[in-house]
Amino acid sequence: MKNRFLLLLLLLIIPITGYSQADLDYYLPDDVEFDPAIPTPEEVIGHQVGEWHVTHDKLVSYMYAIAEASDRVTIEEYAKSYEDRPLLILTITSPENHAQIDEIKDNQLALTEPNQSGDVDIENQPVVVNLGNSIHGNEPSGSNSSMLSAYYFAAAQGERIEEILDDAVILLDPSFNPDGLNRFSSWVNMHKSITTTTDPTDREYNERWPSGRTNHYWFDLNRDWMPVQHPESRGRIAKFHEWRPNILTDHHEMGSNSTFFFQPGIPSRTHPLTPQLNQDLTGQIAEFHAEALDEIQSLYYSEESFDDFYYGKGSTYPDLFGTIGILFEQASSRGHAQETDHGVLEFPFTIRNQFTTALSTVDAAVALRTDLHEYRIDYYRDVREEASDADTKAFVIGDPYDRGRNYHFADLLSKHNVDMYELSEDLEVNGQEFKRGSAWVIPTDQAEYKFIEAMFETRTEFTDSLFYDVSSWTLPFAFNLPYAELDGGDFDNDLLGNRVENPELPSGEIIGGESHYAYIFSWDEYYAPRTLYRLQDKGVRTKVIQKPTTVETPDGSVEFDYGSIVVALGTQDVDADEIYSTLQTAAEEDGVNIYNVTSGLSVSGVDLGSPSIETLEKPEIAILVGSGISSYDVGEAWHQFDQRYKIPITMIEKDEFGSVDLDRYNTIIMSDGGYGDLSENSISELKEWIRNDGVLILQEGAVEWGISQDLVSLTAKEDSGRFDFSDDLDYVDLSNARGAQYIGGTIFNATLDTTHPLGYGYNDEEIYVFRRGTQFYDQPENHFSVPVSLTDDPLASGYISDYNLELIRNTPSIVVDRHGGGRIISFVDNPNFRAFWFGQNKLFANAIFFGRTIYWASTN
Ligand SMILES: [Zn+2]
């Protein structure tokens, strides 16, 4: 009664004191007493939940304070973000369960092993619920609600909470994306007025570029659960496999005029590898959310949006591991209070819905506890049965020329609990050769068979033609790694060498020791660009060979292919000792083998003084950033250069481009985006810069801009982007029909000219490209200007409509143009997609390092 009165008082107070003022009672159930020894959020962070957007450091302080005060809570830092912020997980359960937490954890793992799961007493095994928040930093109601969850589970008193804590272990992750959360909280807090402006046009509600959605390098962390290329995901996935929660929640926000969404998503779009029972359980859990939201009079819906298809998302990844992943989407106040179709949407309201559904999830988990355990047991038993029935007994995969991509592939799989082994002996399958030392074997008869299947499968038939995200991610294609399926006849256990535990990039070496004449290294290694840049950055003169050569080394004659790099000692200003020590570091850290060449006279092929060996320029790179440009694409390039190649890259605001002296740069990147607002002055300066030997790299949408400026010799296909809707299509079906013509992310077969500078470092003319969007181009007349083209039968994996499949055949993927002394290199497809398309990255590096060595191309 008392609380009801307070609530009434509160409702009266709100309009007087402004928005975003809610008492703790507004959020908490009104029939529960709280332990006064447990600090409330306000007592630690200095303001009420929802009054300000919590900054990450305050969130961390509160979580440590709760852990300190409560014997129900322990806390652990499991990773650091790029900006050095801690990622935390709170383990919340009864003190009795804490006393045997290792046993509970061991039992969770045993439930995934059919030969152990029968030993677990599931009647007494607590259910494990992982509550995950705000992986998109500008969807902050989840993180802000996590303080209420922590407070509630630590401080609530009475029989009901005792029961819950006996039956459940709650893993509370307050912030999946600390850097994004902090970026966003700074934005909205710095624009907050005392007299709240609810006008959606106000600056508070219109975050500038780049938004807080993403992490430090502007990656969407909710696409990285499978690729695991970022520290936030790597730590999180390790925790997931340590605990094997029965339920994992993923609290998001969506458009401000919407209501609240919880899964199940659109049933026809569930990935076929996910069992129906997973969706049925999600539906049973949903009933608890509905009841709880009814109670607080919140509107909601399910099954009409979003899906469980791409396994790189937080609500879908768990489905491959016998866990139920649940997506929540709350209408976003995107600030403190803004006008919407449903009245003024206040931040506290959004927080309350998230908190309420966190509680309903735990209630559901407790009620369905044994069902969830049984589901897990059955799931893994079925997987093992399917695995032993499968025709494919193992995959063998690996590139004999590239340690880097092999390592990154092994690293990715090992993060997902996959059993893999070094290939114990050389193996030939269907004419393909795999070498001991540069290939892995992944037997399918193992617990994570489903995950392996999902990573290797090529799927071109679908029950639905719409996808919330990409429709394909086939890993061997993304890594461009040779692989083969081994059937019962090909496979035997003797092929399994050492088990791969924590793969590391192997070191290379300087073969033949210190040279008095020259060094040479192949461009095949993934990290060869890093080695080249190390040398260039020291002022070492470097050359690239454009025709193969076989040279003499102390170990005999060795053949070097297109793109190999030569360091001739007689032409250097840098001390020979310094060059040698730089190369030693490079060999060790970049996994590159470097050869001592004893003579300039080749055994066969070109000599080292040949005109076919061209001097390289050190890249000085700028990239345009700002409104209208894809922060994802820019971030991918930035991450690639900064984290992997250790090459500095200057970001220039598009608005300020006209006032920058471009002479400092020899390479400029224009990522996917719109450039129609570049000033005339900027454009004429850019064209002048290109004519003076500049290399301009255009990606996706920027290619259109290049065409509009007569810099790119492409024409869009006449029917590109058009759709062939039938005349009897009903109005209500138009939206889906349009969606079915979109390419959300599909993999295509392409051919590559390995003698072209953009093809250096590749040994096979077959390559895969990743396509989003539906802009298709005709082939230019000069076919030497097209080093990469889609094939006549291009669909490799994923969805494309029949209409678009006809249009996309034989279209160009990369096109080179000349303009004065400069080059324009157009990437129709993204070579750096989500940092796991390792097979394409070299194309991008080639544009940077070898772009100005391309002579044959269309001239504009
Ligand atoms: Zn989101």
Side-chain angles (χ1 to χ4, degrees):
M1 202 62 195
K2 184 173 156 246
N3 284 320
R4 290 248 169 78
F5 175 71
L6 270 177
L7 191 65
L8 191 66
L9 195 68
L10 195 76
L11 289 169
L12 290 172
I13 289 170
I14 282 175
I16 302 164
T17 55
Y19 290 98
S20 305
Q21 303 283 335
D23 196 80
L24 203 51
D25 288 344
Y26 169 72
Y27 301 105
L28 299 173
D30 57 11
D31 53 357
V32 180
E33 295 287 319
F34 291 91
D35 179 355
I38 304 297
T40 64
E42 190 174 17
E43 283 165 8
V44 175
I45 66 173
H47 62 80
Q48 190 51 264
V49 173
E51 185 183 352
W52 294 90
H53 279 245
V54 74
T55 54
H56 190 261
D57 47 1
K58 286 190 173 185
L59 187 63
V60 168
S61 304
Y62 184 63
M63 294 302 160
Y64 274 101
I66 284 281
E68 175 74 30
S70 172
D71 61 358
R72 298 171 177 173
V73 183
T74 59
I75 192 165
E76 189 186 342
E77 176 183 320
Y78 66 79
K80 276 258 169 74
S81 70
Y82 284 114
E83 294 173 22
D84 209 33
R85 294 192 174 86
L87 286 108
L88 303 175
I89 199 158
L90 280 68
T91 305
I92 308 173
T93 190
S94 66
E96 296 72 32
N97 284 337
H98 270 299
Q100 47 187 335
I101 203 79
D102 289 339
E103 196 187 327
I104 293 170
K105 203 187 276 183
D106 289 347
N107 285 341
Q108 286 296 107
L109 298 188
L111 293 173
T112 69
E113 294 289 346
N115 59 3
Q116 295 173 26
S117 53
D119 301 337
V120 180
D121 175 11
I122 59 166
E123 293 302 324
N124 288 307
Q125 172 69 4
V127 67
V128 179
V129 186
N130 194 162
L131 301 175
N133 292 292
S134 301
I135 197 161
H136 295 142
N138 62 1
E139 301 173 7
S141 49
S143 285
N144 283 270
S145 80
S146 72
M147 293 183 286
L148 299 168
S149 298
Y151 177 71
Y152 177 83
F153 289 118
Q157 301 293 296
E159 234 171 79
R160 176 64 190 145
I161 187 74
E162 300 283 344
E163 273 172 32
I164 289 173
L165 295 174
D166 277 345
D167 283 353
V169 174
I170 298 157
L171 305 172
L172 176 64
D173 193 322
S175 170
F176 278 157
N177 176 9
D179 297 345
L181 184 78
N182 217 66
R183 197 181 313 141
F184 184 69
S185 61
S186 297
W187 179 267
V188 289
N189 287 338
M190 78 194 217
H191 292 104
K192 180 179 151 94
S193 308
I194 300 170
T195 47
T196 307
T197 310
T198 59
D199 180 354
T201 310
D202 186 61
R203 197 163 195 257
E204 175 177 342
Y205 310 108
N206 295 281
E207 215 185 347
R208 295 293 89 181
W209 198 102
S211 75
R213 176 182 176 91
T214 48
N215 77 347
H216 176 77
Y217 288 100
W218 311 337
F219 279 73
D220 186 336
L221 286 174
N222 200 34
R223 303 296 180 271
D224 193 47
W225 292 71
M226 179 274 281
V228 285
Q229 297 304 315
H230 300 285
E232 299 90 343
S233 320
R234 294 168 80 83
R236 177 172 9 92
I237 296 297
K239 273 288 147 204
F240 177 87
H241 287 287
E242 183 185 321
W243 267 106
R244 292 311 186 94
N246 300 84
I247 298 177
L248 184 145
T249 65
D250 192 20
H251 292 263
H252 288 250
E253 292 182 7
M254 55 181 167
S256 302
N257 288 321
S258 40
T259 59
F260 188 89
F261 169 87
F262 47 78
Q263 277 181 329
I266 295 171
S268 60
R269 298 195 207 164
T270 303
H271 198 290
L273 292 178
T274 296
Q276 181 55 41
L277 194 50
N278 171 296
Q279 297 294 300
D280 295 346
L281 281 164
T282 307
Q284 288 183 49
I285 295 165
E287 289 172 22
F288 289 78
H289 309 318
E291 198 185 321
L293 292 169
D294 285 344
E295 181 72 27
I296 59 167
Q297 294 184 300
S298 281
L299 285 174
Y300 55 84
Y301 74 103
S302 68
E303 297 194 352
E304 224 182 313
S305 316
F306 306 101
D307 66 24
D308 258 335
F309 192 85
Y310 171 49
Y311 286 116
K313 291 192 306 164
S315 50
T316 309
Y317 174 81
D319 299 345
L320 283 173
F321 300 94
T323 298
I324 310 293
I326 299 176
L327 172 69
F328 294 114
E329 294 274 355
Q330 162 65 46
S332 183
S333 60
R334 207 73 75 197
H336 291 89
Q338 80 168 287
E339 293 154 27
T340 73
D341 290 351
H342 301 102
V344 174
L345 177 60
E346 294 176 54
F347 188 40
F349 177 80
T350 69
I351 297 170
R352 186 174 64 161
N353 284 340
Q354 302 280 23
F355 170 62
T356 300
T357 48
L359 295 198
S360 61
T361 302
V362 174
D363 282 343
V366 168
L368 300 169
R369 185 173 57 85
T370 51
D371 295 342
L372 290 162
H373 288 318
E374 275 165 10
Y375 168 67
R376 156 84 35 87
I377 293 167
D378 293 347
Y379 176 83
Y380 274 98
R381 197 191 49 220
D382 292 349
V383 168
R384 285 312 269 257
E385 272 171 24
E386 276 179 50
S388 69
D389 292 348
D391 294 336
T392 301
K393 295 302 171 199
F395 292 95
V396 59
I397 185 163
D399 189 323
Y401 306 105
D402 188 352
R403 297 177 175 93
R405 273 180 302 131
N406 287 348
Y407 151 69
H408 279 290
F409 181 79
D411 171 69
L412 192 161
L413 282 206
S414 72
K415 292 286 175 285
H416 301 288
N417 201 37
V418 170
D419 261 347
M420 60 189 302
Y421 300 84
E422 293 170 4
L423 177 65
S424 66
E425 58 193 65
D426 293 356
L427 180 68
E428 194 183 314
V429 200
N430 306 329
Q432 269 186 298
E433 283 188 38
F434 297 92
K435 297 267 181 225
R436 180 172 178 264
S438 61
W440 319 104
V441 187
I442 303 147
T444 53
D445 190 7
Q446 60 171 295
E448 308 312 349
Y449 170 66
K450 275 279 166 198
F451 180 83
I452 296 165
E453 206 183 354
M455 297 304 108
F456 277 84
E457 73 164 19
T458 55
R459 188 179 287 270
T460 53
E461 300 287 332
F462 300 89
T463 49
D464 200 313
S465 358
L466 281 86
F467 299 86
Y468 184 71
D469 195 77
V470 300
S471 63
S472 183
W473 48 86
T474 313
L475 284 189
F477 297 170
F479 280 77
N480 203 38
L481 285 173
Y483 79 109
E485 296 178 14
L486 306 183
D487 61 22
D490 297 324
F491 176 72
D492 77 71
N493 278 320
D494 291 348
L495 293 174
L496 305 180
N498 293 328
R499 187 170 183 279
V500 177
E501 302 280 356
N502 292 303
E504 285 180 10
L505 176 66
S507 289
E509 56 184 319
I510 300 186
I511 293 165
E514 194 162 358
S515 180
H516 88 283
Y517 190 76
Y519 298 99
I520 185 167
F521 60 92
S522 156
W523 194 245
D524 290 352
E525 284 289 349
Y526 184 79
Y527 284 107
R530 187 158 82 195
T531 298
L532 173 56
Y533 189 81
R534 284 179 197 273
L535 293 162
Q536 292 179 327
D537 196 39
K538 288 240 152 69
V540 176
R541 289 198 178 87
T542 55
K543 288 172 159 250
V544 61
I545 73 165
Q546 297 172 312
K547 287 179 184 165
T549 184
T550 300
V551 294
E552 203 61 65
T553 78
D555 274 17
S557 59
V558 183
E559 190 186 341
F560 287 90
D561 208 352
Y562 303 96
S564 299
I565 303 297
V566 177
V567 177
L569 292 169
T571 65
Q572 304 294 341
D573 301 329
V574 181
D575 187 66
D577 290 344
E578 193 181 347
I579 294 175
Y580 185 60
S581 75
T582 304
L583 289 171
Q584 280 178 312
T585 310
E588 195 182 316
E589 294 178 5
D590 304 342
V592 173
N593 278 346
I594 295 155
Y595 291 80
N596 164 0
V597 186
T598 48
S599 167
L601 188 65
S602 69
V603 177
S604 66
V606 297
D607 298 323
L608 288 196
S610 158
S612 297
I613 301 186
E614 180 152 343
T615 298
L616 294 171
E617 245 179 79
K618 174 185 161 187
E620 300 285 355
I621 310 166
I623 187 165
L624 270 67
V625 301
S627 180
I629 301 175
S630 164
S631 60
Y632 295 116
D633 280 43
V634 174
E636 285 160 358
W638 176 25
H639 172 266
Q640 184 68 17
F641 287 112
D642 191 30
Q643 285 284 324
R644 295 197 179 137
Y645 295 154
K646 314 289 182 206
I647 299 175
I649 171 167
T650 301
M651 298 187 210
I652 301 177
E653 251 335 287
K654 187 169 62 169
D655 291 352
E656 289 160 18
F657 192 59
S659 57
V660 173
D661 179 7
L662 298 181
D663 290 347
R664 183 182 168 127
Y665 313 102
N666 55 23
T667 309
I668 294 176
I669 301 168
M670 292 169 73
S671 300
D672 187 26
Y675 294 87
D677 53 347
L678 273 180
S679 68
E680 281 303 315
N681 184 40
S682 307
I683 295 170
S684 62
E685 281 193 16
L686 179 63
K687 286 182 175 174
E688 174 70 17
W689 172 87
I690 299 170
R691 283 193 292 275
N692 290 323
D693 304 341
V695 173
L696 178 69
I697 296 171
L698 304 174
Q699 277 182 257
E700 302 144 273
V703 174
E704 279 298 296
W705 178 84
I707 294 169
S708 75
Q709 295 299 322
D710 293 329
L711 291 170
V712 178
S713 60
L714 281 173
T715 46
K717 274 193 179 284
E718 202 178 326
D719 293 328
S720 193
R722 289 197 196 165
F723 312 125
D724 62 339
F725 301 130
S726 75
D727 290 342
D728 52 10
L729 188 72
D730 287 331
Y731 176 82
V732 70
D733 297 323
L734 181 63
S735 166
N736 281 359
R738 289 178 67 90
Q741 295 300 335
Y742 182 69
I743 303 177
T746 300
I747 304 174
F748 294 98
N749 299 302
T751 51
L752 165 72
D753 184 342
T754 57
T755 71
H756 190 283
L758 286 183
Y760 290 171
Y762 289 88
N763 293 286
D764 197 332
E765 289 184 355
E766 286 175 29
I767 188 168
Y768 298 93
V769 299
F770 183 78
R771 173 68 58 97
R772 308 189 96 178
T774 49
Q775 191 63 281
F776 312 124
Y777 299 101
D778 287 318
Q779 282 287 348
E781 276 175 28
N782 181 349
H783 93 267
F784 297 108
S785 64
V786 189
V788 180
S789 244
L790 272 64
T791 66
D792 190 44
D793 182 18
L795 181 58
S797 186
Y799 171 79
I800 185 170
S801 72
D802 294 342
Y803 179 79
N804 284 327
L805 184 56
E806 279 310 310
L807 289 177
I808 201 171
R809 292 178 201 282
N810 297 311
T811 56
S813 174
I814 301 181
V815 175
V816 184
D817 286 275
R818 295 196 59 169
H819 180 67
R823 319 285 189 281
I824 301 107
I825 303 172
S826 299
F827 284 85
V828 177
D829 299 302
N830 181 358
N832 300 316
F833 187 63
R834 291 183 183 166
F836 79 98
W837 268 75
F838 285 91
Q840 289 263 320
N841 294 151
K842 186 68 64 69
L843 296 170
F844 197 62
N846 288 347
I848 303 283
F849 284 99
F850 308 136
R852 59 188 52 75
T853 71
I854 302 169
Y855 292 101
W856 302 108
S858 307
T859 304
N860 291 304

